[in-house]
Amino acid sequence: MASTHDHPGERAAQDPIKLIAIRDTPLSVDEILQAVGDDSAGGTALFVGTVRNHDGGVDVDELGYSCHPSAEDEMRRIAEKVAADYPVRALAAVHRVGNLGVGDLAVVVGVSCPHRGEAFEACRKLIDDLKHEVPIWKHQRFSDGTEEWVGAC
């Protein structure tokens, strides 16, 4: 009998990147969950980033995201690196641009892997690298009338 590590389902998929996008329309957790579904994955991890009502001790009214034209290509580059470093069966990442209100979804990423630990690690690596390396900027507008720009890279 072959070892479980010899089974094709234990390895990364041939083309695990199922969805990479930047959108100016509302995001869907269900779309990401469906995109990363895979019968050989025992673990699926999602991260959902939402607009919170505060930052740095100040109330946030709304924020706007904008991006460089290369942002989607950078997302794909990061996704390819995560897929190369982990046994990813399927991966998806979508980021929103435009004006968002408190509670709106700003980013949704998902990863499925043969095991839960791998899925958690790959998902964390994906969102952390997206936040640090993709040229997406956040313009926060606060309740006290002030505002600030926050660069993701």
Side-chain angles (χ1 to χ4, degrees):
M1 184 167 149
S3 115
T4 58
H5 296 290
D6 292 336
H7 191 278
E10 291 291 317
R11 298 188 290 270
Q14 200 84 20
D15 184 15
I17 300 172
K18 305 302 180 189
L19 174 62
I20 299 290
I22 294 178
R23 297 188 178 149
D24 61 2
T25 56
L27 305 183
S28 165
V29 173
D30 289 338
E31 178 187 27
I32 300 301
L33 187 57
Q34 184 176 3
V36 298
D38 187 287
D39 289 343
S40 65
T44 299
L46 298 175
F47 174 81
V48 180
T50 57
V51 177
R52 64 179 175 267
N53 67 359
H54 68 280
D55 189 37
V58 183
D59 291 340
V60 171
D61 285 340
E62 68 175 6
L63 53 82
Y65 282 102
S66 58
C67 68
H68 188 273
S70 68
E72 199 167 287
D73 291 337
E74 286 300 303
M75 287 176 68
R76 179 165 296 280
R77 180 188 62 75
I78 291 164
E80 288 170 351
K81 176 84 168 92
V82 170
D85 291 346
Y86 297 89
V88 174
R89 300 301 304 165
L91 178 152
V94 182
H95 204 295
R96 179 120 181 246
V97 292
N99 292 326
L100 286 76
V102 171
D104 286 345
L105 305 184
V107 61
V108 182
V109 302
V111 177
S112 62
C113 292
H115 304 282
R116 72 178 175 273
E118 299 158 341
F120 280 127
E121 290 173 21
C123 189
R124 173 126 196 186
K125 180 70 171 162
L126 177 62
I127 190 60
D128 285 352
D129 288 357
L130 289 177
K131 294 297 286 181
H132 290 108
E133 297 179 33
V134 177
I136 295 175
W137 304 281
K138 177 171 59 174
H139 183 209
Q140 299 188 114
R141 290 179 276 294
F142 301 105
S143 296
D144 66 4
T146 61
E147 57 186 55
E148 76 174 345
W149 282 93
V150 180
C153 33

